Amino acid sequence: MSQEKLLNLLKVQKCIYPPEDFVKNANVKDYEAEYKRFLENPEKFWEEVANQLFWYKKWDKVLEWNYPYAKWFVGGKTNITVNALDKNIEKGLKNKVAFFWEDEFGNEKVVTYGELYRLVNKIANALRRAGVKKGDRVVIYMPLVVEQIAAMLACARIGAIHSVVYAGFSAPALRHRIQDAEAKLVITADVTIRRGRAIPLKQIVDEAIRDLEYVEKVVVLRRLQPKVDLIGEKEVDFYDFIKDESNYCEPEIMDAEDPLFILYTSGSTGKPKGVLHTTGGYMVGTYYSMKTVFDLKDSDIYWCTADPGWITGHSYIAYGPLLAGATQVIAEGAPNYPDPGRWWRIIEKYGVTIFYTAPTAIRMFMAAGEEWPNKYDLSSLRLLGSVGEPINPEAWLWYYRVIGKERCPIVDTWWQTETGSVMITTIDSLPMKPGKAGKPVPGVIADVVDKNGNPVEPNKGGFLVIKYPWPTMMRTIYKDKERYEKYWNTIPNCYFAGDIATKDEDGYIMVLGRADDVINVSGHRIGTMEVESALVSHPAVAEAAVIGKPHPVKGETIKAFIVLRKDHKPSEKLIEDIKYHVRMELGALAVPSEIEFVDKLPKTRSGKIMRRVLKAKELGMDPGDLSTLEE
Ligand code: PRX
């Protein structure tokens, strides 16, 4: 069908039905029944999932809920890597492929569960030998390679808390995260490779850890020849570090509520938040969603295009799929390098069956043209996924038609770093409504409410909230209890993470975007305040305000309004200089694409910058109530 025909069909029937044989074979054949089963007895529902996994000791209580603090599987003892590796190997997956990895040039590496097990155990032993103990923090700043995921699992094996920092972040951003976590050890690589270029990582680490005494060791995966120099006693080669270690490392017996990882994300202040996830609930929830939302079967070849530097890569590369015994494809580098056929070539090559990516990538490929995917055989695909930002109906239909050939259901999955796993989508058997994420997954009670927590009328805008604890929920913000509590005390009796949404007559939720000062650029969360602080640290900048501006491919881009200090004049060179400064302070993803110099910024009488006034002016919209504006 053409795009127009599909659009017309949609107008008539309002939704798109998953193919009958898909539903017939789906892991959840009847969403309503599964949801009902959950509502009738939430604890029993989760207990049944937990019982599918291995525990050294079962829990005494499924849930302990002291608003807003939840404990799941209280008293339970387990280790997530024993479930992801040892138990899967016992089940016969030793020689099953865990990862097909490849780079931009098609160089590949195939790693089985048995091989991954040995690598993880060796790293874990080496970490222990280096003095890393349960509860210590390890920062992982690496490209998308198997060693990156193995390093995460190795930490989990010995109970160390990993904090993965996306390799696109700059030295100050990395330093901040290392400092906040007081990391004992950093694992990095010489370079990450993107668009055919080697981008140095180790140099950034050198700068980030300068004078940080508590960083005792830096482990460096050296990929290029000649090998990058290691300086001083702190630094050690990744493979030298693990070479004499045994293939078995005694797993740390973890309490269900022992921390598993910290992952930093942007909020509405200048300081990123260290979202903390724990062991048992996270394990149970990611395992469940892998099987249900992604309908994972033993024979699937699953490809999530995220990087483990973000939550999607944690839950749906490093943990969920391995717990569920999946075979995965991972690919380092840019989606469209050396050409826009790269991803489709990979799908054909490995026979990918489940493909999970972001709207920004879909829109980029839409712009590159259908001829690229059409060159390849995509008939292995059976399920598509989307994550990170709202997917507009046009992009949804293109994805459905051109990639899924109108055969593959699409799960538009709404969730967050804080929620740990998918919360809203059209699980398996549910009809899809392009542009609307769908319904809460079984295990989740979601709603759209006003500021007092009362449900809004169908199709009216409101705040998207979760009304009942769930196993993969974050347990706190590292060292910042107040910021954690704010999620639960902004709207009475609900978790509110900052999105606005609508809900239709059928209960389908459409996520419209953020209600706070967070910008979503290509599916990545960036705080306006973070960018503003980076801007004002430039010597020519007196004041700065940043807004998100709609963009056809990236979702949003960053525009900065800048008041210069006395004696500085606007110029093209200064714009470039300021952009470079932000790149160095935060990383490429936070660089404003537009900078406008202004004489002053709109402020409230109390001196707060009114970003919404700037935004309204920029987009030609009504600025709303201006009574608090100073002038
Ligand atoms: O605004 C929502 C948007 O991304 C935010 C969460 O960002 P992050 O913690 O980085 O996690 C992204 C990957 C899970 C949300 O508050 N978002 C995420 N998925 C969707 C979405 N917006 C609309 N539809 C989605 N499917």
Side-chain angles (χ1 to χ4, degrees):
M1 239 183 272
S2 68
Q3 190 101 351
E4 282 99 280
K5 273 201 183 147
L6 265 176
L7 262 172
N8 281 335
L9 176 77
L10 249 183
K11 277 193 194 123
V12 183
Q13 64 177 35
K14 299 271 187 288
C15 54
I16 288 178
Y17 293 89
E20 254 170 53
D21 59 334
F22 184 95
V23 178
K24 207 168 72 206
N25 296 314
N27 290 346
V28 178
K29 293 178 187 54
D30 183 347
Y31 163 84
E32 304 297 340
E34 177 84 347
Y35 198 81
K36 192 161 155 260
R37 196 168 69 80
F38 153 67
L39 272 189
E40 274 165 9
N41 192 339
E43 295 188 23
K44 183 158 167 264
F45 173 88
W46 283 118
E47 185 159 55
E48 279 177 25
V49 182
N51 273 324
Q52 295 169 34
L53 294 158
F54 165 80
W55 299 77
Y56 293 103
K57 175 184 169 285
K58 293 265 171 101
W59 48 94
D60 307 312
K61 217 168 151 195
V62 176
L63 170 64
E64 203 176 278
W65 181 221
N66 289 317
Y67 195 96
Y69 291 97
K71 287 186 180 162
W72 283 90
F73 308 107
V74 186
K77 307 275 179 204
T78 190
N79 184 295
I80 197 165
T81 71
V82 171
N83 276 294
L85 299 170
D86 310 46
K87 293 294 155 187
N88 277 330
I89 288 170
E90 277 172 31
K91 280 182 209 152
L93 303 193
K94 184 166 178 225
N95 293 321
K96 182 174 179 174
V97 173
F99 290 109
F100 289 110
W101 171 90
E102 71 170 61
D103 66 8
E104 289 173 339
F105 310 103
N107 297 314
E108 54 188 80
K109 196 166 173 182
V110 182
V111 179
T112 63
Y113 271 83
E115 288 166 330
L116 183 65
Y117 171 87
R118 291 195 289 275
L119 179 61
V120 168
N121 277 274
K122 278 174 172 282
I123 306 170
N125 277 326
L127 289 172
R128 259 204 195 128
R129 190 183 301 274
V132 178
K133 291 186 294 296
K134 180 176 173 183
D136 286 343
R137 275 80 52 212
V138 172
V139 164
I140 299 172
Y141 183 70
M142 295 180 89
L144 179 44
V145 288
V146 172
E147 289 87 344
Q148 177 196 32
I149 297 154
M152 295 165 75
L153 295 166
C155 291
R157 184 91 179 167
I158 62 166
I161 304 169
H162 59 69
S163 163
V164 183
V165 180
Y166 175 62
F169 279 113
S170 65
L174 173 62
R175 182 179 175 88
H176 173 82
R177 286 157 175 77
I178 295 172
Q179 277 178 315
D180 194 55
E182 291 171 72
K184 197 165 190 172
L185 193 137
V186 177
I187 308 180
T188 188
D190 52 357
V191 294
T192 176
I193 294 167
R194 203 170 165 87
R195 298 197 180 282
R197 279 194 316 134
I199 303 161
L201 296 181
K202 172 157 179 300
Q203 256 161 269
I204 293 176
V205 173
D206 290 344
E207 197 184 322
I209 63 165
R210 191 161 299 144
D211 308 324
L212 298 184
E213 303 280 309
Y214 43 80
V215 178
E216 291 171 12
K217 218 167 212 44
V218 179
V219 182
V220 188
L221 177 72
R222 293 190 293 175
R223 316 173 71 195
L224 295 185
Q225 297 291 348
K227 287 187 171 171
V228 65
D229 286 340
L230 299 173
I231 314 151
E233 289 196 348
K234 265 193 189 181
E235 297 183 1
V236 50
D237 175 83
F238 185 93
Y239 279 101
D240 284 344
F241 183 60
I242 66 170
K243 83 172 181 302
D244 296 326
E245 300 299 338
S246 99
N247 289 334
Y248 179 74
C249 170
E250 192 64 36
E252 192 75 33
I253 296 179
M254 302 290 283
D255 190 272
E257 282 301 329
D258 278 334
L260 177 64
F261 66 84
I262 303 170
L263 183 59
Y264 288 83
T265 190
S266 294
S268 44
T269 74
K271 196 173 158 253
K273 308 187 255 201
V275 170
L276 184 103
H277 283 285
T278 58
T279 304
Y282 182 81
M283 175 175 87
V284 171
T286 53
Y287 171 78
Y288 175 76
S289 53
M290 204 55 225
K291 293 265 200 182
T292 55
V293 172
F294 298 101
D295 190 45
L296 189 82
K297 308 276 185 351
D298 289 343
S299 54
D300 275 313
I301 308 287
Y302 163 88
W303 183 16
C304 166
T305 66
D307 186 285
W310 310 107
I311 191 68
T312 309
H314 280 63
S315 302
Y316 297 112
I317 297 178
Y319 291 109
L322 292 178
L323 286 165
T327 291
Q328 302 190 66
V329 171
I330 47 174
E332 181 184 5
N336 55 355
Y337 186 91
D339 63 57
R342 180 178 186 215
W343 277 11
W344 323 121
R345 196 154 53 237
I346 293 177
I347 291 175
E348 175 183 278
K349 176 173 170 189
Y350 297 101
V352 171
T353 57
I354 304 174
F355 181 63
Y356 190 31
T357 193
T360 182
I362 298 163
R363 291 189 297 259
M364 189 262 290
F365 284 116
M366 260 175 97
E370 287 178 33
E371 60 272 26
W372 286 101
N374 286 347
K375 280 188 204 172
Y376 299 93
D377 177 5
L378 306 181
S379 61
S380 57
L381 289 171
R382 65 177 197 90
L383 179 69
L384 303 175
S386 170
V387 62
E389 58 183 309
I391 178 164
N392 48 312
E394 294 72 29
W396 194 104
L397 286 173
W398 188 89
Y399 195 26
Y400 181 71
R401 184 175 59 82
V402 178
I403 307 305
K405 312 288 182 211
E406 297 169 45
R407 284 184 296 102
C408 307
I410 297 179
V411 282
D412 172 5
T413 60
W414 177 86
W415 59 296
Q416 311 175 300
T417 306
E418 295 89 334
T419 70
S421 65
V422 175
M423 307 300 276
I424 297 171
T425 193
T426 43
I427 202 166
D428 297 1
S429 49
L430 274 177
M432 299 157 275
K433 300 191 185 189
K436 297 187 175 176
K439 296 193 176 197
V441 302
V444 172
I445 302 180
D447 206 353
V448 178
V449 301
D450 64 19
K451 66 178 191 317
N452 301 315
N454 303 311
V456 296
E457 280 170 49
N459 304 310
K460 286 264 154 56
F463 303 111
L464 178 55
V465 297
I466 313 292
K467 293 184 153 169
Y468 188 78
W470 64 102
T472 59
M473 62 191 263
M474 68 164 161
R475 299 303 194 265
T476 193
I477 296 292
Y478 195 62
K479 293 184 184 162
D480 201 341
K481 201 163 138 265
E482 265 144 55
R483 269 181 116 181
Y484 170 75
E485 290 177 358
K486 196 158 172 248
Y487 286 86
W488 290 92
N489 61 24
T490 305
I491 295 175
N493 297 315
C494 298
Y495 164 87
F496 174 53
D499 281 358
I500 39 180
T502 61
K503 189 164 104 173
D504 71 12
E505 304 74 14
D506 303 326
Y508 277 62
I509 291 172
M510 174 157 85
V511 181
L512 301 168
R514 301 285 305 186
D516 56 9
D517 291 321
V518 169
I519 304 177
N520 192 327
V521 182
S522 301
H524 300 315
R525 259 165 86 169
I526 296 160
T528 43
M529 287 273 280
E530 279 172 72
V531 184
E532 287 163 3
S533 336
L535 287 167
V536 295
S537 68
H538 184 282
V541 177
E543 284 183 291
V546 155
I547 61 163
K549 234 179 122 170
H551 183 272
V553 173
K554 295 179 172 178
E556 282 186 297
T557 52
I558 302 173
K559 171 154 186 182
F561 296 86
I562 286 175
V563 180
L564 288 176
R565 283 174 192 257
K566 242 182 33 218
D567 309 329
H568 289 275
K569 294 260 165 329
S571 71
E572 277 308 312
K573 183 174 171 304
L574 184 57
I575 289 179
E576 287 318 307
D577 199 50
I578 293 172
K579 286 185 179 178
Y580 179 76
H581 178 78
V582 177
R583 179 186 293 264
M584 289 300 117
E585 283 296 307
L586 291 174
L589 68 169
V591 175
S593 37
E594 244 183 285
I595 288 179
E596 184 179 328
F597 296 109
V598 292
D599 294 332
K600 56 177 182 269
L601 294 169
K603 286 188 189 155
T604 61
R605 271 168 227 141
S606 59
K608 243 179 102 183
I609 296 170
M610 293 179 84
R611 295 187 193 90
R612 81 181 148 86
V613 174
L614 289 167
K615 190 159 178 165
K617 191 163 159 260
E618 182 71 26
L619 306 179
M621 298 178 328
D622 173 14
D625 179 15
L626 291 180
S627 58
T628 54
L629 188 68
E630 192 188 26
E631 284 173 60

